[in-house]
Amino acid sequence: MLNVRRLLLLTEAAERGSLTAAAEALSMTTSAASQQMSLLEQEAGQPLIERLPRGIRPTPAGAALAGRGRAIRRELRAAQADLDSFAALDQGTLRLGSFPTASASLLPLALTRFRRRHAGIRIEVRAGVLAGLREMLHTGEVEQALLWDYEWNRIDDPALMLTHLLDDPTVLVVPADSPLRAHPTVRLGDLADQEWIIRADNHPVADVLRRSCRQAGFEPRIAYSSHDYQEAQAMVAAGLGIALAPRLALTSRRSDVRLLPFASDVPAPTRRILLARARARSATPPAQAMSRVLRTVAQRFAASDLHRAQLGAVRRG
């Protein structure tokens, strides 16, 4: 059977392209790492790395074995996270993952409520994009994470247990004096001649805009690419264009813009806000308590959105 520590050494060396760097990462001397690599090659019965003038390169067999090593390393880290979770339960540590929209809307209220009830529990929050948050869940770096998805990119991961917290509708952001406010309903197909503010850097909301407009029969004309929602609101307020955004992203709304809901038959997608944890690990008591708080907070946000929609319908009527 292959030695796991030597296999992890091969994995580090393949990723870093250097046996010296791998040794440093694993707190070994270079000479010890070289000896261990030689022993691993003896166990494997074939060369696993090619020693170059500067660094190393894995052989095809070494690359395949390093891939297995990455999976083993992930499981070992997850196992350690399980142990740390049990060991730290007395002092109460909860590790959460979140994304920017949730961190600016749902999470602050949830954290405030949680701390009032469980003041002795320490909370660590890690922010990330969707792929990064899922990896943190798999490795045990976080115990729970707030995630999101749309109909066309549903999270389909049997290793994760998902709890649906709420639906986050897409809304139209317009200037406060926009003539569009006088319309009883807004239809995306009627906005083909508008200029649009879009999110930059391949942001998911940019994909939402393009998909929705194409489904409505036109290609959006982009006037500005923003890097956050406050910047997008500022450009809308200045009259440069209009924008699509998830409702939760606009909890800090400027006074000089308005949010308009779409008609129910308009192809403006709703995203799901989810709470996820690794299925293979049982939720700790702090995680269970946070789940209850997040569900309560999500219900409050959902009820608030329903009230806004009803109030808007009354005013337009």
Side-chain angles (χ1 to χ4, degrees), residues 139-209:
T139 63
E141 187 175 344
V142 298
E143 186 175 353
Q144 295 175 306
L146 289 162
L147 307 178
W148 56 266
D149 68 10
Y150 285 99
E151 183 179 359
W152 62 83
N153 69 340
R154 293 295 190 218
I155 297 174
D156 184 17
D157 189 340
L160 296 180
M161 181 171 288
L162 304 176
T163 299
H164 178 216
L165 294 178
L166 78 158
D167 290 328
D168 187 17
T170 296
V171 296
L172 184 68
V173 187
V174 302
D177 59 355
S178 171
L180 291 171
R181 294 187 61 201
H183 292 218
T185 58
V186 178
R187 297 182 180 278
L188 198 56
D190 296 335
L191 304 176
D193 60 344
Q194 296 284 333
E195 299 284 341
W196 292 87
I197 312 299
I198 198 170
R199 287 298 303 269
D201 305 323
N202 295 317
H203 191 277
V205 172
D207 187 34
V208 169
L209 174 63

Side-chain angles (χ1 to χ4, degrees), residues 29-36:
T29 65
T30 303
S31 60
S34 181
Q35 292 173 3
Q36 292 298 309

Side-chain angles (χ1 to χ4, degrees), residues 17 48-52 55-59:
L48 299 175
I49 61 172
E50 299 176 23
R51 288 172 170 79
L52 307 174
I56 64 97
R57 177 173 58 207
T59 65

